[in-house]
Amino acid sequence: MHERNEEGYQTLGWIINQSENGLFLVIAEEPIQQEIVEVYRGGMIGVYDYRRNPGEFSFADLKAWIDAQENVRTFFIVNFQFAIPGQQDIDRLNFSRDMLTGLGRNLVFFTTPYGDDRLARGAYDFYSFLKIRITFHDYMADGKKGDVILSLDTEAKKQAAGQQEADQQEAVQAEADGQREALKEEQKEDTRHRLQEAYSLRKQAEEYSDETDYRESLGLLLKARTIYEEVLGAEHLETASVYYDLAIAYWKLYAWPYYDSTFVKNYGYGEHSRVPFDNYAWAYGIIHCSGKNKFDDVLKTQFCYSNNIDNVDYKAQLEEINGR
């Protein structure tokens, strides 16, 4: 015990022997904090060291530790500078001041001068509830300026800097997550818009078909098909339905006008004979593979169509699709 710190020890003795309850603060470098603990360790005190038990300040954890020692009235919370590396930890401490006082014990918080500066700047609520603030002189440092000892204040500063860097990284990550979510919403909105456009094109194609303007109807269906393939994929049920509409459109445009003519009976449909069937086949194949065969008229129409054309082995093609 150094004579320059005699008054501080006397004050701590009064707290241990006379005080009923309250919050107290001791400012001392870590070696002095350890010296004080060794002086009073044999008495009726509880010691919680944040260097040996790393972690941020938590009232719930501190209360559980205190409640477990029913016969102890005074508690030393040592190296408290490590428990408040960031502003959020100081905010929790400010919020807990009434609850700490409500424990009805003597709580003596030990921190370094650097930690005291942080408390004085940010923990004003906690500071206002302190009954006594005791400063201990660091006499050990007077003759050991050249010792290679890691400064605990420097370590606390590093922890604070590390916390600041972590907060910045968290902010960057949050911003990136926000941008990704915004992009997803934008893509969803674009998908909804394009599918709505495809639906409108099919409705217009139906109207043109009713007016026997099959060429215009076919052009609109081709545009709708492009949208469905790009947005939903070539093997989606909705895409299958537009393939079916295209088959009907090709049939009406190129096959019906010549169906009973002598030219067709002698020469077939030429380059257009395969187009309607290909679209039927795609529609049938997709529906068959999905297990949702809802378009019975697809099969009926294909059957009639294939029975009237002898130069293409459509039955083999359908069997190949069924085997997918």
Side-chain angles (χ1 to χ4, degrees):
M1 181 187 304
H2 196 274
E3 60 182 9
R4 294 185 61 179
N5 291 328
E6 184 176 350
E7 184 178 349
Y9 280 105
Q10 290 176 352
T11 306
L12 282 176
W14 176 86
I15 294 172
I16 295 171
N17 298 314
Q18 302 295 327
S19 177
E20 293 293 334
N21 59 75
L23 305 183
F24 306 90
L25 183 65
V26 170
I27 299 94
E29 297 291 356
E30 183 179 0
I32 305 301
Q33 294 184 37
Q34 296 305 318
E35 177 188 277
I36 296 170
V37 170
E38 291 304 320
V39 169
Y40 292 103
R41 189 178 293 278
M44 287 298 295
I45 62 167
V47 179
Y48 190 92
D49 191 339
Y50 272 99
R51 168 168 274 281
R52 296 183 180 180
N53 303 280
E56 299 171 350
F57 169 73
S58 167
F59 172 77
D61 294 343
L62 192 60
K63 180 179 183 299
W65 173 71
I66 291 173
D67 289 344
Q69 304 176 72
E70 297 180 359
N71 298 325
V72 179
R73 189 172 61 184
T74 301
F75 296 89
F76 286 2
I77 297 93
V78 185
N79 286 313
F80 192 59
Q81 67 273 8
F82 294 126
I84 50 171
Q87 184 58 46
Q88 59 183 356
D89 306 302
I90 293 178
D91 292 341
R92 283 199 302 272
L93 178 62
N94 280 326
F95 182 77
S96 304
R97 65 173 193 178
D98 293 307
M99 294 183 288
L100 289 169
T101 304
L103 294 175
R105 310 289 183 91
N106 292 316
L107 304 183
V108 185
F109 294 86
F110 288 71
T111 187
T112 60
Y114 172 74
D116 179 53
D117 289 341
R118 299 200 70 239
L119 289 173
R121 288 195 303 268
Y124 32 83
D125 289 337
F126 170 77
Y127 232 73
S128 66
F129 269 45
L130 294 175
K131 285 188 174 182
I132 300 176
R133 180 175 174 272
I134 311 165
T135 301
F136 279 77
H137 175 67
D138 185 15
Y139 66 88
M140 294 183 179
D142 293 344
K144 299 181 180 180
K145 297 294 185 180
D147 289 353
V148 185
I149 301 175
L150 178 63
S151 169
L152 294 181
D153 286 346
T154 301
E155 188 172 343
K157 291 177 182 178
K158 287 181 179 179
Q159 287 192 3
Q163 181 65 38
Q164 183 179 7
E165 182 179 354
D167 291 342
Q168 290 175 348
Q169 291 177 350
E170 184 178 350
V172 170
Q173 184 63 42
E175 183 179 358
D177 292 342
Q179 291 176 348
R180 281 194 291 270
E181 288 300 319
L183 181 60
K184 287 181 182 179
E185 289 300 319
E186 184 177 340
Q187 291 173 340
K188 287 181 182 178
E189 184 62 29
D190 180 66
T191 298
R192 285 193 291 266
H193 176 75
R194 297 197 68 194
L195 289 177
Q196 186 177 12
E197 179 185 359
Y199 176 78
S200 299
L201 289 170
R202 293 181 69 180
K203 293 297 290 184
Q204 294 177 45
E206 183 180 353
E207 294 173 0
Y208 278 111
S209 179
D210 292 342
E211 297 171 1
T212 67
D213 191 347
Y214 303 129
R215 190 173 297 278
E216 187 67 26
S217 176
L218 178 62
L220 294 171
L221 287 173
L222 288 172
K223 292 179 180 179
R225 181 191 67 180
T226 299
I227 294 174
Y228 281 124
E229 288 177 341
E230 290 177 352
V231 175
L232 301 177
E235 297 190 3
H236 193 276
L237 279 174
E238 198 67 27
T239 310
S241 68
V242 82
Y243 287 148
Y244 172 70
D245 291 346
L246 276 168
I248 297 295
Y250 275 117
W251 176 270
K252 290 180 178 180
L253 183 60
Y254 295 114
W256 273 1
Y258 311 105
Y259 183 72
D260 292 325
S261 68
T262 303
F263 176 83
V264 172
K265 291 179 180 178
N266 294 332
Y267 301 103
Y269 299 118
E271 62 176 317
H272 301 300
S273 65
R274 186 182 175 89
V275 174
F277 179 81
D278 283 346
N279 284 281
Y280 281 131
W282 271 107
Y284 173 72
I286 294 170
I287 296 167
H288 173 80
C289 292
S290 69
K292 298 179 180 179
N293 193 348
K294 297 180 180 178
F295 300 123
D296 293 335
D297 53 339
V298 173
L299 301 179
K300 293 176 184 177
T301 308
Q302 285 184 115
F303 177 77
C304 295
Y305 185 68
S306 59
N307 281 347
N308 284 279
I309 299 179
D310 300 324
N311 62 340
V312 180
D313 189 359
Y314 292 108
K315 182 179 179 182
Q317 293 187 23
L318 282 175
E319 289 176 348
E320 180 182 350
I321 292 172
N322 290 337
R324 288 198 294 173

